[in-house]
Amino acid sequence: MSVDLRTTVGAFALIFLAVVGVAAVGGVVLDDAPPETDAVADDHWQLDAVEPETVSEGGEVEMESSEPSNTVVVHLGSGGAGLGGGTSILPIEDGDSPADADIGSVGGVRRGVAPLTAALVENGHEVRFYGGIASREPLPSMLSDADAFVTTSPGALSATDADAVETFVEAGGRTLVASDPGGAGALTDFGSPFGVYGEAGYVYDMENNDANYLSVLVEPTGPGALTEGVEQVVFRGAAPVGTADGPATLATAETSRLSTTREAGAYGVAVRSDSLAVVGDSSFLEPENAGRADNGVLIGNVADFLVTGETPDVSFGPATGPGGAVPPGGATPPPEPPEPSGNATA
């Protein structure tokens, strides 16, 4: 190889190494700068965009009436009916037993109506609890001295007790029946003499609800004693109810649907027939739900409803003991002593 050729090759190699070095250094310098990228939409990461809408908290339960002391008998069904705790774990279809359809509370069945009973007691009224046929005093005897009656489990009433309540209502005794989904048959049997009936299934709403499609929002259909001051309430397990005498007192929005038919429409969930008021939900009476929307106002109106009106004139006669009343004609006389035999000594 000639001297000129070697010089040319050496010069080329030096230039090549210089270019590679400059490119490497430039790459390092360029890597230090943040790359320019398009902004990524992150609205779906915002909690405000994914958190379900809920209703506002309401006020305390207050009564407006100034009636003198009344006696209210409260029937809550079996204490072992189930846990529940607000909304039932699974949707309830009509035909399930009342125990399965119960929407009670973990703290005991009396806790499920604590806001209502507390308001009554604080306003000078007496509350007596009836637990079924095992109670020390039968229901007919308790209703003889009562001004009002409340049941959150009409299906748990015995035939004798249901007849006594029917007589009590006919005599003008103010009565509240809270019937949850699954109890349409029992409610219809109980309320048919007064034109009140229940419908199979439950109501749900995918649009107007309190963070859950089963927690439907309910509004009054017009003015009335039960709905005074009420704009919106929350039912966490609404059963459709109706009356043959007029429109419903409370109804769902047009966007709600009935589980048995999937048909959209406004469904009545509370009715009143003279001295009988029927609500297709008992959960609104629970402490954890009493403060939602206008539930507290509704409970206060229910308490006023129970203690106003004429005192019912009803008597069921003396009782035979727990769970029943004496047969027609009075108490059964004791049997005659047997005749002494001829072998008996004086």
Side-chain angles (χ1 to χ4, degrees):
M1 178 181 296
S2 65
V3 177
D4 293 339
L5 181 59
R6 288 197 299 268
T7 302
T8 302
V9 172
F12 176 81
L14 290 175
I15 294 173
F16 176 80
L17 291 176
V19 171
V20 172
V22 171
V25 174
V28 173
V29 174
L30 291 175
D31 287 342
D32 289 340
E36 294 184 1
T37 58
D38 296 334
V40 178
D42 59 354
D43 293 342
H44 58 287
W45 293 110
Q46 303 299 322
L47 291 180
D48 293 341
V50 298
E51 186 177 2
E53 295 184 4
T54 59
V55 299
S56 60
E57 293 288 340
E60 297 180 357
V61 178
E62 297 181 354
M63 295 180 62
E64 299 293 337
S65 64
S66 57
E67 295 289 326
S69 179
N70 281 246
T71 300
V72 181
V73 176
V74 179
H75 167 248
L76 302 173
S78 172
L83 295 180
T87 305
S88 54
I89 298 175
L90 295 175
I92 302 295
E93 293 291 356
D94 190 61
D96 295 332
S97 65
D100 295 334
D102 177 68
I103 306 181
S105 298
V106 177
V109 290
R110 294 191 181 187
R111 178 183 179 275
V113 293
L116 174 63
T117 56
L120 290 168
V121 172
E122 289 173 0
N123 284 268
H125 304 287
E126 179 185 4
V127 175
R128 304 181 65 193
F129 290 94
Y130 174 68
I133 60 175
S135 298
R136 294 181 179 180
E137 185 178 0
L139 183 59
S141 176
M142 298 179 70
L143 292 179
S144 296
D145 300 323
D147 300 287
F149 175 71
V150 175
T151 179
T152 59
S153 184
L157 292 170
S158 67
T160 300
D161 290 345
D163 290 342
V165 176
E166 180 181 338
T167 301
F168 182 76
V169 175
E170 290 175 344
R174 297 295 182 99
T175 300
L176 169 69
V177 176
S179 179
D180 294 310
L187 174 62
T188 301
D189 291 342
F190 173 84
S192 57
F194 313 103
V196 175
Y197 58 90
E199 295 186 41
Y202 60 91
V203 180
Y204 65 94
D205 197 322
M206 303 298 291
E207 298 181 30
N208 294 284
N209 60 63
D210 185 24
N212 187 301
Y213 72 100
L214 292 176
S215 299
V216 296
L217 301 182
V218 178
E219 297 181 356
T221 59
L226 290 177
T227 59
E228 183 177 357
V230 174
E231 295 183 2
Q232 189 179 70
V233 295
V234 178
F235 284 176
R236 301 197 186 282
V241 298
T243 176
D245 298 332
T249 302
L250 292 169
T252 62
E254 293 284 350
T255 53
S256 63
R257 295 179 180 271
L258 184 60
S259 64
T260 55
T261 63
R262 301 297 192 269
E263 292 184 1
Y267 291 91
V269 289
V271 296
R272 179 181 175 182
S273 177
D274 295 328
S275 59
L276 174 65
V278 176
V279 181
D281 174 59
S282 66
S283 69
F284 79 98
L285 295 169
E286 297 175 358
E288 56 267 33
N289 298 324
R292 305 300 293 170
D294 294 326
N295 284 17
V297 180
L298 177 60
I299 296 173
N301 291 345
V302 167
D304 288 328
F305 161 77
L306 293 172
V307 299
T308 54
E310 300 294 331
T311 301
D313 183 13
V314 60
S315 177
F316 300 96
T320 59
V326 298
T332 304
E336 295 283 342
E339 294 290 338
S341 64
N343 296 329
T345 59

